[in-house]
PDB file of all heavy atoms in Angstrom:
ATOM      1  N   LEU A  24      -4.946  -6.555 -14.498  1.00 87.00           N
ATOM      2  CA  LEU A  24      -4.039  -6.094 -13.459  1.00 87.00           C
ATOM      3  C   LEU A  24      -3.247  -4.898 -13.963  1.00 87.00           C
ATOM      4  O   LEU A  24      -2.951  -4.793 -15.146  1.00 87.00           O
ATOM      5  CB  LEU A  24      -3.071  -7.211 -13.060  1.00 87.00           C
ATOM      6  CG  LEU A  24      -3.683  -8.502 -12.550  1.00 87.00           C
ATOM      7  CD1 LEU A  24      -2.594  -9.535 -12.316  1.00 87.00           C
ATOM      8  CD2 LEU A  24      -4.477  -8.273 -11.295  1.00 87.00           C
ATOM      9  N   GLU A  25      -2.892  -4.019 -13.043  1.00 88.00           N
ATOM     10  CA  GLU A  25      -2.061  -2.875 -13.396  1.00 88.00           C
ATOM     11  C   GLU A  25      -1.366  -2.356 -12.142  1.00 88.00           C
ATOM     12  O   GLU A  25      -1.806  -2.610 -11.023  1.00 88.00           O
ATOM     13  CB  GLU A  25      -2.894  -1.767 -14.026  1.00 88.00           C
ATOM     14  CG  GLU A  25      -3.953  -1.199 -13.101  1.00 88.00           C
ATOM     15  CD  GLU A  25      -4.807  -0.146 -13.778  1.00 88.00           C
ATOM     16  OE1 GLU A  25      -4.324   0.997 -13.951  1.00 88.00           O
ATOM     17  OE2 GLU A  25      -5.951  -0.471 -14.118  1.00 88.00           O
ATOM     18  N   PHE A  26      -0.276  -1.657 -12.351  1.00 90.00           N
ATOM     19  CA  PHE A  26       0.407  -0.998 -11.253  1.00 90.00           C
ATOM     20  C   PHE A  26      -0.113   0.427 -11.140  1.00 90.00           C
ATOM     21  O   PHE A  26      -0.218   1.133 -12.145  1.00 90.00           O
ATOM     22  CB  PHE A  26       1.928  -0.958 -11.490  1.00 90.00           C
ATOM     23  CG  PHE A  26       2.617  -2.229 -11.097  1.00 90.00           C
ATOM     24  CD1 PHE A  26       2.895  -3.199 -12.032  1.00 90.00           C
ATOM     25  CD2 PHE A  26       2.988  -2.446  -9.780  1.00 90.00           C
ATOM     26  CE1 PHE A  26       3.537  -4.370 -11.675  1.00 90.00           C
ATOM     27  CE2 PHE A  26       3.625  -3.606  -9.403  1.00 90.00           C
ATOM     28  CZ  PHE A  26       3.903  -4.581 -10.349  1.00 90.00           C
ATOM     29  N   ILE A  27      -0.466   0.822  -9.910  1.00 91.00           N
ATOM     30  CA  ILE A  27      -0.837   2.209  -9.642  1.00 91.00           C
ATOM     31  C   ILE A  27      -0.058   2.672  -8.412  1.00 91.00           C
ATOM     32  O   ILE A  27       0.453   1.849  -7.641  1.00 91.00           O
ATOM     33  CB  ILE A  27      -2.359   2.406  -9.440  1.00 91.00           C
ATOM     34  CG1 ILE A  27      -2.855   1.665  -8.203  1.00 91.00           C
ATOM     35  CG2 ILE A  27      -3.130   2.004 -10.681  1.00 91.00           C
ATOM     36  CD1 ILE A  27      -4.285   2.022  -7.825  1.00 91.00           C
ATOM     37  N   ASN A  28      -0.005   3.965  -8.216  1.00 94.00           N
ATOM     38  CA  ASN A  28       0.691   4.524  -7.071  1.00 94.00           C
ATOM     39  C   ASN A  28       0.045   4.025  -5.778  1.00 94.00           C
ATOM     40  O   ASN A  28      -1.183   3.949  -5.678  1.00 94.00           O
ATOM     41  CB  ASN A  28       0.652   6.047  -7.135  1.00 94.00           C
ATOM     42  CG  ASN A  28       1.502   6.678  -6.067  1.00 94.00           C
ATOM     43  OD1 ASN A  28       1.075   6.800  -4.925  1.00 94.00           O
ATOM     44  ND2 ASN A  28       2.709   7.059  -6.443  1.00 94.00           N
ATOM     45  N   ILE A  29       0.873   3.703  -4.798  1.00 93.00           N
ATOM     46  CA  ILE A  29       0.364   3.175  -3.523  1.00 93.00           C
ATOM     47  C   ILE A  29      -0.596   4.163  -2.863  1.00 93.00           C
ATOM     48  O   ILE A  29      -1.632   3.763  -2.324  1.00 93.00           O
ATOM     49  CB  ILE A  29       1.530   2.813  -2.590  1.00 93.00           C
ATOM     50  CG1 ILE A  29       2.213   1.540  -3.111  1.00 93.00           C
ATOM     51  CG2 ILE A  29       1.050   2.621  -1.155  1.00 93.00           C
ATOM     52  CD1 ILE A  29       3.442   1.120  -2.350  1.00 93.00           C
ATOM     53  N   ARG A  30      -0.294   5.450  -2.927  1.00 92.00           N
ATOM     54  CA  ARG A  30      -1.185   6.448  -2.309  1.00 92.00           C
ATOM     55  C   ARG A  30      -2.577   6.411  -2.920  1.00 92.00           C
ATOM     56  O   ARG A  30      -3.575   6.567  -2.234  1.00 92.00           O
ATOM     57  CB  ARG A  30      -0.596   7.840  -2.428  1.00 92.00           C
ATOM     58  CG  ARG A  30       0.601   8.041  -1.552  1.00 92.00           C
ATOM     59  CD  ARG A  30       1.094   9.452  -1.633  1.00 92.00           C
ATOM     60  NE  ARG A  30       2.279   9.599  -0.821  1.00 92.00           N
ATOM     61  CZ  ARG A  30       2.870  10.737  -0.591  1.00 92.00           C
ATOM     62  NH1 ARG A  30       2.384  11.849  -1.114  1.00 92.00           N
ATOM     63  NH2 ARG A  30       3.950  10.793   0.157  1.00 92.00           N
ATOM     64  N   GLN A  31      -2.636   6.218  -4.217  1.00 91.00           N
ATOM     65  CA  GLN A  31      -3.928   6.129  -4.894  1.00 91.00           C
ATOM     66  C   GLN A  31      -4.660   4.852  -4.481  1.00 91.00           C
ATOM     67  O   GLN A  31      -5.860   4.872  -4.246  1.00 91.00           O
ATOM     68  CB  GLN A  31      -3.718   6.143  -6.406  1.00 91.00           C
ATOM     69  CG  GLN A  31      -4.971   6.067  -7.214  1.00 91.00           C
ATOM     70  CD  GLN A  31      -4.699   5.983  -8.708  1.00 91.00           C
ATOM     71  OE1 GLN A  31      -3.560   6.061  -9.151  1.00 91.00           O
ATOM     72  NE2 GLN A  31      -5.740   5.822  -9.492  1.00 91.00           N
ATOM     73  N   ALA A  32      -3.930   3.762  -4.356  1.00 90.00           N
ATOM     74  CA  ALA A  32      -4.549   2.475  -4.031  1.00 90.00           C
ATOM     75  C   ALA A  32      -5.107   2.431  -2.616  1.00 90.00           C
ATOM     76  O   ALA A  32      -6.191   1.885  -2.389  1.00 90.00           O
ATOM     77  CB  ALA A  32      -3.541   1.347  -4.223  1.00 90.00           C
ATOM     78  N   ILE A  33      -4.386   3.001  -1.653  1.00 88.00           N
ATOM     79  CA  ILE A  33      -4.826   2.855  -0.265  1.00 88.00           C
ATOM     80  C   ILE A  33      -6.056   3.699   0.072  1.00 88.00           C
ATOM     81  O   ILE A  33      -6.665   3.490   1.118  1.00 88.00           O
ATOM     82  CB  ILE A  33      -3.684   3.139   0.736  1.00 88.00           C
ATOM     83  CG1 ILE A  33      -3.187   4.569   0.632  1.00 88.00           C
ATOM     84  CG2 ILE A  33      -2.559   2.149   0.551  1.00 88.00           C
ATOM     85  CD1 ILE A  33      -2.130   4.931   1.659  1.00 88.00           C
ATOM     86  N   GLN A  34      -6.436   4.583  -0.800  1.00 88.00           N
ATOM     87  CA  GLN A  34      -7.657   5.361  -0.564  1.00 88.00           C
ATOM     88  C   GLN A  34      -8.893   4.469  -0.538  1.00 88.00           C
ATOM     89  O   GLN A  34      -9.917   4.840   0.015  1.00 88.00           O
ATOM     90  CB  GLN A  34      -7.821   6.430  -1.643  1.00 88.00           C
ATOM     91  CG  GLN A  34      -6.768   7.496  -1.594  1.00 88.00           C
ATOM     92  CD  GLN A  34      -6.904   8.480  -2.739  1.00 88.00           C
ATOM     93  OE1 GLN A  34      -7.861   8.452  -3.509  1.00 88.00           O
ATOM     94  NE2 GLN A  34      -5.939   9.364  -2.860  1.00 88.00           N
ATOM     95  N   ASN A  35      -8.794   3.294  -1.138  1.00 79.00           N
ATOM     96  CA  ASN A  35      -9.946   2.407  -1.268  1.00 79.00           C
ATOM     97  C   ASN A  35      -9.826   1.133  -0.438  1.00 79.00           C
ATOM     98  O   ASN A  35     -10.556   0.185  -0.680  1.00 79.00           O
ATOM     99  CB  ASN A  35     -10.112   2.019  -2.740  1.00 79.00           C
ATOM    100  CG  ASN A  35     -10.308   3.219  -3.625  1.00 79.00           C
ATOM    101  OD1 ASN A  35     -11.249   3.962  -3.436  1.00 79.00           O
ATOM    102  ND2 ASN A  35      -9.398   3.436  -4.555  1.00 79.00           N
ATOM    103  N   MET A  36      -8.911   1.098   0.526  1.00 89.00           N
ATOM    104  CA  MET A  36      -8.664  -0.147   1.257  1.00 89.00           C
ATOM    105  C   MET A  36      -8.842   0.044   2.751  1.00 89.00           C
ATOM    106  O   MET A  36      -8.802   1.149   3.266  1.00 89.00           O
ATOM    107  CB  MET A  36      -7.268  -0.654   0.928  1.00 89.00           C
ATOM    108  CG  MET A  36      -7.106  -0.911  -0.543  1.00 89.00           C
ATOM    109  SD  MET A  36      -5.661  -1.840  -0.945  1.00 89.00           S
ATOM    110  CE  MET A  36      -5.842  -1.929  -2.718  1.00 89.00           C
ATOM    111  N   SER A  37      -9.026  -1.070   3.432  1.00 91.00           N
ATOM    112  CA  SER A  37      -9.226  -1.030   4.880  1.00 91.00           C
ATOM    113  C   SER A  37      -7.932  -0.670   5.599  1.00 91.00           C
ATOM    114  O   SER A  37      -6.838  -0.806   5.055  1.00 91.00           O
ATOM    115  CB  SER A  37      -9.722  -2.392   5.372  1.00 91.00           C
ATOM    116  OG  SER A  37      -8.679  -3.342   5.299  1.00 91.00           O
ATOM    117  N   ASP A  38      -8.065  -0.245   6.844  1.00 92.00           N
ATOM    118  CA  ASP A  38      -6.906   0.168   7.634  1.00 92.00           C
ATOM    119  C   ASP A  38      -5.890  -0.955   7.802  1.00 92.00           C
ATOM    120  O   ASP A  38      -4.681  -0.716   7.743  1.00 92.00           O
ATOM    121  CB  ASP A  38      -7.349   0.669   9.010  1.00 92.00           C
ATOM    122  CG  ASP A  38      -8.060   2.012   8.926  1.00 92.00           C
ATOM    123  OD1 ASP A  38      -7.947   2.695   7.885  1.00 92.00           O
ATOM    124  OD2 ASP A  38      -8.713   2.388   9.910  1.00 92.00           O
ATOM    125  N   ASN A  39      -6.348  -2.183   8.017  1.00 93.00           N
ATOM    126  CA  ASN A  39      -5.426  -3.315   8.198  1.00 93.00           C
ATOM    127  C   ASN A  39      -4.608  -3.577   6.938  1.00 93.00           C
ATOM    128  O   ASN A  39      -3.408  -3.849   7.017  1.00 93.00           O
ATOM    129  CB  ASN A  39      -6.187  -4.573   8.601  1.00 93.00           C
ATOM    130  CG  ASN A  39      -6.761  -4.463   9.995  1.00 93.00           C
ATOM    131  OD1 ASN A  39      -6.289  -3.678  10.815  1.00 93.00           O
ATOM    132  ND2 ASN A  39      -7.789  -5.226  10.267  1.00 93.00           N
ATOM    133  N   ILE A  40      -5.250  -3.496   5.785  1.00 92.00           N
ATOM    134  CA  ILE A  40      -4.543  -3.703   4.516  1.00 92.00           C
ATOM    135  C   ILE A  40      -3.564  -2.557   4.276  1.00 92.00           C
ATOM    136  O   ILE A  40      -2.432  -2.777   3.842  1.00 92.00           O
ATOM    137  CB  ILE A  40      -5.547  -3.816   3.344  1.00 92.00           C
ATOM    138  CG1 ILE A  40      -6.506  -4.975   3.551  1.00 92.00           C
ATOM    139  CG2 ILE A  40      -4.816  -3.935   2.014  1.00 92.00           C
ATOM    140  CD1 ILE A  40      -5.877  -6.333   3.541  1.00 92.00           C
ATOM    141  N   ILE A  41      -3.982  -1.338   4.583  1.00 92.00           N
ATOM    142  CA  ILE A  41      -3.105  -0.177   4.409  1.00 92.00           C
ATOM    143  C   ILE A  41      -1.840  -0.338   5.249  1.00 92.00           C
ATOM    144  O   ILE A  41      -0.730  -0.101   4.769  1.00 92.00           O
ATOM    145  CB  ILE A  41      -3.849   1.126   4.781  1.00 92.00           C
ATOM    146  CG1 ILE A  41      -4.943   1.408   3.763  1.00 92.00           C
ATOM    147  CG2 ILE A  41      -2.878   2.310   4.864  1.00 92.00           C
ATOM    148  CD1 ILE A  41      -5.894   2.519   4.163  1.00 92.00           C
ATOM    149  N   LYS A  42      -1.990  -0.775   6.485  1.00 94.00           N
ATOM    150  CA  LYS A  42      -0.826  -0.969   7.359  1.00 94.00           C
ATOM    151  C   LYS A  42       0.136  -1.997   6.781  1.00 94.00           C
ATOM    152  O   LYS A  42       1.358  -1.799   6.792  1.00 94.00           O
ATOM    153  CB  LYS A  42      -1.281  -1.401   8.754  1.00 94.00           C
ATOM    154  CG  LYS A  42      -1.929  -0.291   9.543  1.00 94.00           C
ATOM    155  CD  LYS A  42      -2.437  -0.804  10.881  1.00 94.00           C
ATOM    156  CE  LYS A  42      -3.238   0.264  11.585  1.00 94.00           C
ATOM    157  NZ  LYS A  42      -3.846  -0.240  12.825  1.00 94.00           N
ATOM    158  N   LEU A  43      -0.400  -3.098   6.260  1.00 93.00           N
ATOM    159  CA  LEU A  43       0.445  -4.120   5.648  1.00 93.00           C
ATOM    160  C   LEU A  43       1.190  -3.579   4.433  1.00 93.00           C
ATOM    161  O   LEU A  43       2.392  -3.784   4.277  1.00 93.00           O
ATOM    162  CB  LEU A  43      -0.394  -5.335   5.226  1.00 93.00           C
ATOM    163  CG  LEU A  43      -0.851  -6.279   6.313  1.00 93.00           C
ATOM    164  CD1 LEU A  43      -1.841  -7.287   5.741  1.00 93.00           C
ATOM    165  CD2 LEU A  43       0.330  -6.984   6.933  1.00 93.00           C
ATOM    166  N   ILE A  44       0.467  -2.900   3.571  1.00 93.00           N
ATOM    167  CA  ILE A  44       1.072  -2.356   2.346  1.00 93.00           C
ATOM    168  C   ILE A  44       2.195  -1.379   2.685  1.00 93.00           C
ATOM    169  O   ILE A  44       3.296  -1.478   2.147  1.00 93.00           O
ATOM    170  CB  ILE A  44       0.000  -1.677   1.464  1.00 93.00           C
ATOM    171  CG1 ILE A  44      -0.952  -2.729   0.895  1.00 93.00           C
ATOM    172  CG2 ILE A  44       0.649  -0.867   0.344  1.00 93.00           C
ATOM    173  CD1 ILE A  44      -2.185  -2.147   0.229  1.00 93.00           C
ATOM    174  N   LEU A  45       1.928  -0.458   3.590  1.00 93.00           N
ATOM    175  CA  LEU A  45       2.932   0.549   3.924  1.00 93.00           C
ATOM    176  C   LEU A  45       4.136  -0.061   4.640  1.00 93.00           C
ATOM    177  O   LEU A  45       5.273   0.345   4.406  1.00 93.00           O
ATOM    178  CB  LEU A  45       2.306   1.666   4.762  1.00 93.00           C
ATOM    179  CG  LEU A  45       1.259   2.508   4.029  1.00 93.00           C
ATOM    180  CD1 LEU A  45       0.658   3.545   4.963  1.00 93.00           C
ATOM    181  CD2 LEU A  45       1.836   3.158   2.792  1.00 93.00           C
ATOM    182  N   TYR A  46       3.896  -1.051   5.485  1.00 94.00           N
ATOM    183  CA  TYR A  46       4.993  -1.725   6.176  1.00 94.00           C
ATOM    184  C   TYR A  46       5.944  -2.385   5.171  1.00 94.00           C
ATOM    185  O   TYR A  46       7.157  -2.179   5.207  1.00 94.00           O
ATOM    186  CB  TYR A  46       4.439  -2.758   7.151  1.00 94.00           C
ATOM    187  CG  TYR A  46       5.495  -3.626   7.779  1.00 94.00           C
ATOM    188  CD1 TYR A  46       6.310  -3.135   8.792  1.00 94.00           C
ATOM    189  CD2 TYR A  46       5.686  -4.942   7.354  1.00 94.00           C
ATOM    190  CE1 TYR A  46       7.297  -3.930   9.365  1.00 94.00           C
ATOM    191  CE2 TYR A  46       6.662  -5.740   7.923  1.00 94.00           C
ATOM    192  CZ  TYR A  46       7.462  -5.228   8.927  1.00 94.00           C
ATOM    193  OH  TYR A  46       8.437  -6.013   9.489  1.00 94.00           O
ATOM    194  N   TYR A  47       5.389  -3.172   4.255  1.00 92.00           N
ATOM    195  CA  TYR A  47       6.234  -3.871   3.288  1.00 92.00           C
ATOM    196  C   TYR A  47       6.833  -2.923   2.254  1.00 92.00           C
ATOM    197  O   TYR A  47       7.938  -3.136   1.781  1.00 92.00           O
ATOM    198  CB  TYR A  47       5.472  -5.027   2.646  1.00 92.00           C
ATOM    199  CG  TYR A  47       5.366  -6.193   3.579  1.00 92.00           C
ATOM    200  CD1 TYR A  47       4.196  -6.490   4.232  1.00 92.00           C
ATOM    201  CD2 TYR A  47       6.486  -6.989   3.840  1.00 92.00           C
ATOM    202  CE1 TYR A  47       4.110  -7.548   5.130  1.00 92.00           C
ATOM    203  CE2 TYR A  47       6.412  -8.052   4.734  1.00 92.00           C
ATOM    204  CZ  TYR A  47       5.226  -8.326   5.368  1.00 92.00           C
ATOM    205  OH  TYR A  47       5.159  -9.372   6.260  1.00 92.00           O
ATOM    206  N   GLN A  48       6.139  -1.859   1.929  1.00 91.00           N
ATOM    207  CA  GLN A  48       6.706  -0.884   1.000  1.00 91.00           C
ATOM    208  C   GLN A  48       7.930  -0.215   1.607  1.00 91.00           C
ATOM    209  O   GLN A  48       8.922   0.004   0.935  1.00 91.00           O
ATOM    210  CB  GLN A  48       5.632   0.161   0.640  1.00 91.00           C
ATOM    211  CG  GLN A  48       6.011   1.000  -0.542  1.00 91.00           C
ATOM    212  CD  GLN A  48       6.477   2.395  -0.170  1.00 91.00           C
ATOM    213  OE1 GLN A  48       6.240   2.865   0.928  1.00 91.00           O
ATOM    214  NE2 GLN A  48       7.164   3.032  -1.091  1.00 91.00           N
ATOM    215  N   GLN A  49       7.903   0.051   2.903  1.00 90.00           N
ATOM    216  CA  GLN A  49       9.069   0.625   3.579  1.00 90.00           C
ATOM    217  C   GLN A  49      10.228  -0.352   3.598  1.00 90.00           C
ATOM    218  O   GLN A  49      11.373   0.036   3.437  1.00 90.00           O
ATOM    219  CB  GLN A  49       8.715   1.032   4.999  1.00 90.00           C
ATOM    220  CG  GLN A  49       7.846   2.265   5.059  1.00 90.00           C
ATOM    221  CD  GLN A  49       7.440   2.609   6.487  1.00 90.00           C
ATOM    222  OE1 GLN A  49       7.642   1.854   7.414  1.00 90.00           O
ATOM    223  NE2 GLN A  49       6.834   3.778   6.647  1.00 90.00           N
ATOM    224  N   LEU A  50       9.959  -1.622   3.786  1.00 89.00           N
ATOM    225  CA  LEU A  50      11.019  -2.623   3.785  1.00 89.00           C
ATOM    226  C   LEU A  50      11.678  -2.749   2.416  1.00 89.00           C
ATOM    227  O   LEU A  50      12.900  -2.925   2.311  1.00 89.00           O
ATOM    228  CB  LEU A  50      10.482  -3.994   4.199  1.00 89.00           C
ATOM    229  CG  LEU A  50      10.112  -4.160   5.668  1.00 89.00           C
ATOM    230  CD1 LEU A  50       9.563  -5.566   5.906  1.00 89.00           C
ATOM    231  CD2 LEU A  50      11.292  -3.898   6.575  1.00 89.00           C
ATOM    232  N   ILE A  51      10.877  -2.654   1.374  1.00 82.00           N
ATOM    233  CA  ILE A  51      11.402  -2.798   0.016  1.00 82.00           C
ATOM    234  C   ILE A  51      12.248  -1.596  -0.372  1.00 82.00           C
ATOM    235  O   ILE A  51      13.297  -1.733  -0.975  1.00 82.00           O
ATOM    236  CB  ILE A  51      10.243  -3.000  -0.986  1.00 82.00           C
ATOM    237  CG1 ILE A  51       9.622  -4.370  -0.772  1.00 82.00           C
ATOM    238  CG2 ILE A  51      10.719  -2.835  -2.423  1.00 82.00           C
ATOM    239  CD1 ILE A  51       8.339  -4.595  -1.543  1.00 82.00           C
ATOM    240  N   ASN A  52      11.784  -0.414  -0.022  1.00 75.00           N
ATOM    241  CA  ASN A  52      12.503   0.800  -0.406  1.00 75.00           C
ATOM    242  C   ASN A  52      13.400   1.229   0.711  1.00 75.00           C
ATOM    243  O   ASN A  52      14.228   1.962   0.702  1.00 75.00           O
ATOM    244  CB  ASN A  52      11.523   1.913  -0.800  1.00 75.00           C
ATOM    245  CG  ASN A  52      10.759   1.537  -2.057  1.00 75.00           C
ATOM    246  OD1 ASN A  52      11.314   1.011  -2.994  1.00 75.00           O
ATOM    247  ND2 ASN A  52       9.477   1.788  -2.057  1.00 75.00           N
TER     248      ASN A  52
END
């Protein structure tokens, strides 16, 4: 496991997962 930048990670993920990640990232920050 490792931490990588969210922008780098979402390049390889489906649209539904991207929406979830970005939604919760906005809530956290």
Side-chain angles (χ1 to χ4, degrees):
L24 302 175
E25 62 183 284
F26 277 96
I27 64 170
N28 187 279
I29 287 176
R30 289 184 182 186
Q31 180 184 356
I33 63 176
Q34 293 176 7
N35 301 301
M36 301 193 180
S37 71
D38 289 344
N39 291 338
I40 300 295
I41 292 170
K42 288 176 187 175
L43 284 171
I44 291 169
L45 294 178
Y46 173 76
Y47 284 105
Q48 194 257 343
Q49 287 177 350
L50 288 179
I51 290 171
N52 294 318

